[in-house]
Amino acid sequence: MEMPPPPPPPFGGPAAPDGGKPDRKTVERNRRNQMNALYSQLDSLVRAGSSPSSAAAAVQRGPPAMTRPDRLEEAAAYIRQTTERVERLKERKRELMTSARAPSSQGSGSSSAAGAAEVEVQHLGSGLHAILVTGAPPSEGASFHRAVRAVEEAGGEVQNAHFSVVGARAIYTIHTLVAEGGIERVVQRLKAALRGDA
């Protein structure tokens, strides 16, 4: 009857003769192998994060001949640049969120935001038109009602109207019947109402 093979030695090195802890050389070799693997992983992450073209070039040429302090300095610089970029992007996001909220919270800002609203008209046939307004203040229901009233005052017969909010912008959809040649008058009146002229 054959004996089963002995269990593998700990840490991938030869076991001590007495079956105790591995000797100091084995522990040091394992530590160096682990550090080399970590340095290699760090190099690949920094190369992959810097730019796709430089990562592809590095794969073709092989790893550059750099000392460990140089490699660590390059990784630290990459981390600093990435952190600064993330902070800049967070600041930009805060600015955009603030500017999106400002028009609805300030009375004077609402008219400037409404001035940025875009009006698009689609003829659906038989005098029916779809009017799409994008960029209006999102939390201001009065602006939507002003838009519907302006269409009716200009001679349009509103069949259906609704609005939805997408991000920091409101979208109004108004289906209206308009007499032949009257859509230009309706659009002008609608734009004036959105600017706050009416």
Side-chain angles (χ1 to χ4, degrees):
M1 179 174 166
E2 286 188 32
M3 297 289 290
F11 304 108
D18 59 359
K21 295 189 338 188
D23 63 344
R24 203 180 329 192
K25 286 183 182 178
T26 304
V27 171
E28 181 60 24
R29 185 183 320 113
N30 290 337
R31 186 193 66 77
R32 281 194 311 266
N33 288 341
Q34 184 180 13
M35 290 302 294
N36 286 337
L38 290 172
Y39 278 121
S40 176
Q41 184 179 7
L42 180 66
D43 285 343
S44 67
L45 290 172
V46 170
R47 276 197 307 268
S50 59
S51 72
S53 59
S54 65
V59 168
Q60 291 172 353
R61 289 192 314 264
M66 293 176 65
T67 63
R68 281 193 179 161
D70 291 340
R71 289 157 67 185
L72 289 174
E73 182 60 38
E74 182 182 11
Y78 171 72
I79 291 169
R80 279 192 299 271
Q81 290 170 357
T82 304
T83 304
E84 290 170 3
R85 183 170 181 263
V86 167
E87 288 304 315
R88 282 195 310 269
L89 290 173
K90 283 181 181 178
E91 182 61 31
R92 177 75 177 134
K93 180 182 176 184
R94 276 192 294 271
E95 290 172 3
L96 290 174
M97 295 297 282
T98 303
S99 67
R101 276 190 233 123
S104 61
S105 62
Q106 300 172 354
S108 62
S110 63
S111 62
S112 65
E118 298 174 16
V119 177
E120 180 183 333
V121 178
Q122 294 179 352
H123 179 67
L124 303 176
S126 300
L128 185 63
H129 294 80
I131 302 173
L132 183 67
V133 179
T134 57
S139 61
E140 195 179 309
S143 179
F144 172 68
H145 293 292
R146 227 179 13 250
V148 172
R149 190 169 50 247
V151 169
E152 290 177 337
E153 288 173 356
E157 185 181 330
V158 175
Q159 302 294 307
N160 182 14
H162 67 276
F163 77 96
S164 58
V165 177
V166 179
R169 297 171 64 133
I171 299 174
Y172 305 162
T173 306
I174 304 170
H175 292 95
T176 183
L177 284 172
V178 180
E180 190 71 34
I183 190 64
E184 290 82 14
R185 185 177 66 249
V186 170
V187 170
Q188 293 304 320
R189 181 76 176 88
L190 176 60
K191 287 181 178 178
L194 290 171
R195 284 193 306 267
D197 297 347

